Amino acid sequence: MLFKWLPWKYMVRRVARHHGFLDPIMIMSRLGKFAQPSEVGEPIELLRAGLVFHARGLMNTRAIQNNLDWIWPYWVERQFNPRDSSFIPRAFSISHINLSHRNWTAVGVPDSPYLPIVDPSGLLTPYYDGWSLDAWIIRDDGSSLLPSKARGISQSLKLEPNGIAVETAIGDEVMRLRSRVEAFPEGPAGQCRQRLMARSDRPAWLAVSVRPYNPEGVSFIHDIALSPDRSGWSIDGFPAVRFSEAAQRHFASEYHVGDVFHMLEELDSPGRDSVHCRVGLATAAALFPLTPGTEKILDLTIELSGDKETPKQFPHSSPAKPWTPALEGLSRMEIPDAHMAFLYEAALRSLLLHSPGDVFPGPYTYKRFWFRDAAFILDAMLAAGMADRVERTLDQFPSRQTLGGYFLSQEGEWDSNGEALWILRRWCETTGKPPKPAWIPSIIKASDWIARKRIVKHKDARVLGLFPAGFSAEHLGPNDFYYWDDFWGAAGLQAAAWLLEAAGRIPESRLARERSADFLAAIDRSITAAQAAGKHAGALPASPLRRMDSGAIGSIAASYPLKLWPGDDPRMVATLEFLLSDCMFKGTFFQDMIHSGMNAYLTLHMAQSLIRAGDPRAFQLIKDTAAVASPTGQWPEAIHPHTLGGCMGDGQHVWAAAEWVLMMRNLFLREEERVLVIGSGIPEEWLASGSTLAFGPGPTNFGPVRVVIVPMAKGFRVAWDASWRTPPMCVVVQLPGRKPVTVTDSHQFSVDVTETSLPIPEPIDGIPAKA
């Protein structure tokens, strides 16, 4: 209260002007005018994360550009190289951050929150936001093989019954270095192991180096010490790394001397077994001899208990589990496209890795909980058959709710209540179980919060009945009255009505249903007043106060995933046409705002909506999304249009992986009200391949179903192995280009679909024409 009465604005202005700075109060006021007035200007959680992010960027500014003779990570070696297409001038950039190759791949075991990451050149960062390990070949003649500087790097994700591994290979017959990184559930927190396989045709050394950085930039190391038996390192006092054999030579350096790499140019010089660096940029290298023409194998073992940050983030995580039982019973897919099948299997493992109780949308930058991301990730887990894992996350939802009923992951997100209620309903629908009694008070409070939050008075009639202006999904733009939030709010009220009816709370259910209908009516009135005219007549902008721009991607939520509108609603069709004509790059959705990159998960939102609209252009979007996946089968949140590396967010975006799982599932089977639709997204090229196609068993609202499509001499036999819990009103088999077949007999489980009976449009400019 005292702070409220102090003339703090005057004091801040006076101090700033006295020292020759611009008036910060005026600047903040000017910035605020670009957005609609909102009770939350910017979520404090994002401001905090942004400050941390750019604080590192400032450290990078001091550490990197003045020391380009060091060996830096993959992104720096390219982004700071004027000969590389990744180059970004740094003249007026206050902070230097990774904007061109935000790519990494996590390894781990199910139910463990410890997730070491590997960058595109094989750099291993075993601890969250920590130091890294790199490996080089140093020959006696002075030549070397340095992965982060090398071209022709080969990297892959190995999917094995007992785990996953990231394999990286660099070099040729002269010098070749291979790496394999995986994790095991051994020890108190598990172990990460890296196997290095090195070969040189001349006398050389395999050098393993501790690096004070990671894929985001600088990560401080003050002390490195070689163990007395020369078989491992203590890093900042913790015995973190063990070698499978003793190092023959060892060098260490501190910042003011330079990178330890330069000490390896004179291998006859005396080594050093430990180092202290007051700056925090200590480096060390352990050397192991290579016999010419013989491959050397060296194993590194890292105790993950040295990661001190992860237990702070996840203090109540479950014990780690082996991979084999975690993968049992999940929905499996058989298709002729090996790459898409690999992406599906990789995505399943991403979902398992990033759900150790909580769910989070990335192993590094986004290693925290958001309701928005969680709704999609949990829905994909349900589709894949992970209902038990989903349930334990849902059980934590009430503890994330404020006394007023707000499901809070960060301030200013008005969509979170709708997302929480919607995914609670999805769990009940796909499992056939009623909501838990412990959830009911939370459901009622969340429903009441949505009703209270809506605008009842405003000078602009276009926003009456909507949610207030807010930050929403940050990729939509500055604070505004986003339809994305409103659609989620109305869907949340629908979900609450369904859940409360299932729980026998009829009066509360009736109230939630009435509130939902009123909310949808308000949205319709707003849209009628705000729809685009002219070239994009009838399309939905992001907000009633916005022109058509790439933020309109949020408005297609009314079709996917919420199904509030029919798939062929003219307003939705017009919005999709705008996005396809004005917001695409290299076949994927390009988000101009914030992300400034190609978005895999938002492209798949468009493809899902096109499938519901019966539009065959959907599969080209799916193919183009698959084409921009990394070699390890991952998508960063946003993709640089030229380097095709990550330019925004986490380098392994689990929301994108979730969308791939949902996309593959919905190609084969999806629900529309009381109807089960089979095969509506199957592409003609798969049908023409002559291969048997299959998916399942996939949980549905009616019970688990496995779909099999078998080619015949004329047409296809489509069969579904279903264990109906509640049979659908009908099953519609709808292979594209063929007449739909409707089955109303719940005891019939197959149909024969004849050859093509509808014309298949010719492609135009690489994208199939609309039917």
Side-chain angles (χ1 to χ4, degrees):
M1 182 62 71
L2 179 62
F3 187 73
K4 179 179 178 181
W5 290 103
L6 284 172
W8 63 272
K9 290 185 179 181
Y10 169 79
M11 292 188 290
V12 168
R13 285 192 174 108
R14 181 71 181 267
V15 171
R17 288 168 177 167
H18 177 75
H19 290 281
F21 289 100
L22 293 173
D23 179 354
I25 305 301
M26 181 272 289
I27 292 173
M28 295 303 295
S29 174
R30 293 285 187 184
L31 288 173
K33 291 177 181 178
F34 286 99
Q36 297 298 329
S38 174
E39 62 189 77
V40 179
E42 184 114 2
I44 189 65
E45 296 84 358
L46 287 188
L47 286 173
R48 187 185 302 118
L51 287 172
V52 171
F53 192 76
H54 284 286
R56 185 202 302 277
L58 288 171
M59 298 297 177
N60 292 343
T61 303
R62 285 300 184 97
I64 297 172
Q65 63 182 346
N66 307 314
N67 297 284
L68 289 176
D69 61 336
W70 283 44
I71 307 302
W72 290 106
Y74 181 88
W75 72 272
V76 172
E77 296 292 352
R78 282 150 179 78
Q79 190 171 304
F80 283 62
N81 183 353
R83 299 174 183 83
D84 196 287
S85 61
S86 309
F87 177 72
I88 298 176
R90 304 179 295 279
F92 289 107
S93 298
I94 296 175
S95 68
H96 297 167
I97 56 179
N98 184 351
L99 295 174
S100 57
H101 293 282
R102 301 184 64 79
N103 301 88
W104 44 81
T105 306
V107 297
V109 292
D111 290 330
S112 170
Y114 296 91
L115 295 176
I117 58 174
V118 183
D119 91 340
S121 67
L123 182 79
L124 168 62
T125 306
Y127 299 161
Y128 175 77
D129 200 25
W131 47 263
S132 300
L133 295 173
D134 205 359
W136 314 318
I137 294 177
I138 309 293
R139 299 211 299 192
D140 291 351
D141 62 10
S143 59
S144 58
L145 179 61
L146 308 170
S148 66
K149 291 178 176 288
R151 302 292 168 171
I153 301 171
S154 172
Q155 191 170 67
S156 61
L157 181 68
K158 300 300 180 184
L159 309 178
E160 298 167 353
N162 61 343
I164 60 173
V166 176
E167 294 190 352
T168 311
I170 305 111
D172 52 26
E173 65 277 0
V174 176
M175 286 186 284
R176 185 164 180 80
L177 178 62
R178 294 186 294 146
S179 164
R180 176 183 170 93
V181 178
E182 54 195 320
F184 299 90
E186 298 176 10
Q191 293 178 344
C192 177
R193 297 180 193 169
Q194 181 175 30
R195 169 159 290 189
L196 297 169
M197 295 152 278
R199 181 186 178 280
S200 171
D201 65 349
R202 299 179 187 177
W205 297 83
L206 169 61
V208 180
S209 181
V210 184
R211 313 304 294 166
Y213 52 65
N214 57 45
E216 291 280 25
V218 170
S219 182
F220 295 119
I221 303 174
H222 291 280
D223 295 284
I224 304 173
L226 184 67
S227 64
D229 63 1
R230 307 183 68 80
S231 64
W233 277 311
S234 287
I235 300 175
D236 284 335
F238 182 80
V241 184
R242 296 199 309 273
F243 315 138
S244 57
E245 63 180 75
Q248 285 207 13
R249 302 295 307 278
H250 189 271
F251 298 85
S253 183
E254 53 97 7
Y255 175 73
H256 291 292
V257 175
D259 192 351
V260 71
F261 172 74
H262 298 297
M263 295 183 172
L264 308 186
E265 296 171 353
E266 298 180 13
L267 291 173
D268 294 334
S269 62
R272 183 178 179 182
D273 287 352
S274 65
V275 65
H276 171 76
C277 179
R278 66 179 183 82
V279 176
L281 292 180
T283 55
L287 272 61
F288 306 84
L290 297 180
T291 302
T294 301
E295 183 174 73
K296 183 176 192 63
I297 297 177
L298 178 72
D299 290 331
L300 311 178
T301 301
I302 301 98
E303 294 293 339
L304 296 181
S305 56
D307 181 349
K308 303 305 181 185
E309 292 301 315
T310 292
K312 298 176 186 176
Q313 296 172 301
F314 305 97
H316 306 299
S317 57
S318 305
K321 293 184 177 64
W323 276 100
T324 303
L327 290 166
E328 286 177 357
L330 301 187
S331 301
R332 284 324 213 267
M333 182 173 66
E334 297 175 34
I335 57 174
D337 190 312
H339 182 53
M340 288 191 181
F342 162 74
L343 293 176
Y344 177 78
E345 290 294 328
L348 289 180
R349 287 158 176 79
S350 284
L351 294 177
L352 286 168
L353 276 182
H354 295 84
S355 56
D358 255 344
V359 295
F360 42 91
Y364 186 14
T365 313
Y366 288 165
K367 197 175 181 183
R368 54 156 294 198
F369 179 89
W370 280 276
F371 278 106
R372 181 182 306 116
D373 302 67
F376 289 93
I377 294 169
L378 294 171
D379 194 33
M381 291 170 66
L382 287 172
M386 306 181 194
D388 290 346
R389 300 178 73 84
V390 173
E391 181 180 0
R392 68 187 187 188
T393 300
L394 299 181
D395 283 338
Q396 299 176 42
F397 276 20
S399 66
R400 297 183 181 277
Q401 191 177 37
T402 68
L403 291 175
Y406 178 33
F407 281 114
L408 174 63
S409 49
Q410 68 183 31
E411 291 284 357
E413 289 186 329
W414 311 143
D415 53 343
S416 60
N417 273 39
E419 288 149 356
L421 292 168
W422 179 81
I423 194 59
L424 287 168
R425 175 181 176 174
R426 291 290 300 132
W427 182 84
C428 293
E429 285 177 324
T430 55
T431 62
K433 298 178 181 179
K436 293 184 174 183
W439 297 351
I440 300 302
S442 183
I443 292 168
I444 293 172
K445 287 196 299 181
S447 175
D448 290 343
W449 182 91
I450 292 174
R452 292 196 310 270
K453 198 67 183 176
R454 294 173 58 198
I455 299 169
V456 294
K457 290 182 180 180
H458 201 279
K459 61 183 179 181
D460 192 329
R462 292 173 295 176
V463 304
L464 281 176
L466 305 184
F467 275 144
F471 195 67
S472 189
E474 76 282 352
H475 55 264
L476 300 182
N479 288 352
D480 214 326
F481 302 90
Y482 288 112
Y483 286 132
W484 164 275
D485 293 339
D486 300 317
F487 286 133
W488 277 105
L493 288 170
Q494 282 187 353
W498 188 96
L499 291 162
L500 292 169
E501 181 177 353
R505 304 290 289 265
I506 304 304
E508 294 96 331
S509 171
R510 186 180 301 114
L511 177 60
R513 203 172 305 279
E514 291 170 356
R515 287 170 165 175
S516 176
D518 187 67
F519 204 161
L520 287 170
I523 295 171
D524 280 343
R525 288 192 298 271
S526 175
I527 288 171
T528 300
Q531 276 177 307
K535 178 183 176 183
H536 302 295
L540 275 71
S543 150
L545 307 186
R546 283 264 285 275
R547 298 182 301 277
M548 292 302 297
D549 56 34
S550 59
I553 190 72
S555 298
I556 69 173
S559 177
Y560 174 82
L562 301 178
K563 302 177 185 176
L564 293 170
W565 294 355
D568 59 356
D569 186 292
R571 299 168 295 181
M572 187 56 56
V573 171
T575 306
L576 290 167
E577 291 297 340
F578 163 75
L579 295 171
L580 286 167
S581 66
D582 286 41
C583 303
M584 305 297 287
F585 187 82
K586 293 183 179 178
T588 62
F589 174 75
F590 189 91
Q591 178 55 290
D592 296 304
M593 288 166 283
I594 310 296
H595 291 183
S596 58
M598 302 152 64
N599 289 83
Y601 68 110
L602 296 176
T603 304
L604 294 177
H605 283 203
M606 292 175 61
Q608 294 274 17
S609 299
L610 288 169
I611 285 176
R612 292 194 71 234
D615 192 322
R617 290 176 290 183
F619 193 69
Q620 187 62 45
L621 299 188
I622 297 168
K623 290 173 67 174
D624 290 334
T625 301
V628 296
S630 76
T632 59
Q634 314 301 327
W635 295 272
E637 182 175 28
I639 299 168
H640 192 292
H642 302 302
T643 70
L644 298 184
C647 63
M648 163 74 186
D650 210 296
Q652 181 174 354
H653 195 220
V654 184
W655 185 349
E659 292 295 351
W660 189 260
V661 170
L662 290 164
M663 189 78 258
M664 294 298 102
R665 183 261 194 188
N666 287 356
L667 294 179
F668 282 88
L669 59 120
R670 59 187 176 85
E671 303 93 336
E672 292 287 346
E673 298 287 345
R674 294 287 303 143
V675 176
L676 181 65
V677 182
I678 290 179
S680 65
I682 301 295
E684 181 64 29
E685 60 193 70
W686 289 2
L687 296 174
S689 71
S691 304
T692 296
L693 312 176
F695 183 89
T700 73
N701 295 356
F702 316 108
V705 178
R706 182 172 187 267
V707 175
V708 181
I709 302 172
V710 181
M712 302 188 302
K714 290 187 177 182
F716 301 88
R717 173 154 292 171
V718 180
W720 52 98
D721 181 8
S723 300
W724 300 132
R725 191 171 53 246
T726 302
M729 183 177 67
C730 63
V731 174
V732 176
V733 178
Q734 194 174 351
L735 298 185
R738 290 150 181 89
K739 290 181 179 178
V741 179
T742 301
V743 177
T744 57
D745 183 355
S746 62
H747 298 289
Q748 181 179 343
F749 297 100
S750 68
V751 297
D752 291 344
V753 180
T754 58
E755 284 294 340
T756 304
S757 57
L758 299 173
I760 298 175
E762 292 295 323
I764 298 175
D765 295 331
I767 298 180
K770 182 180 177 183

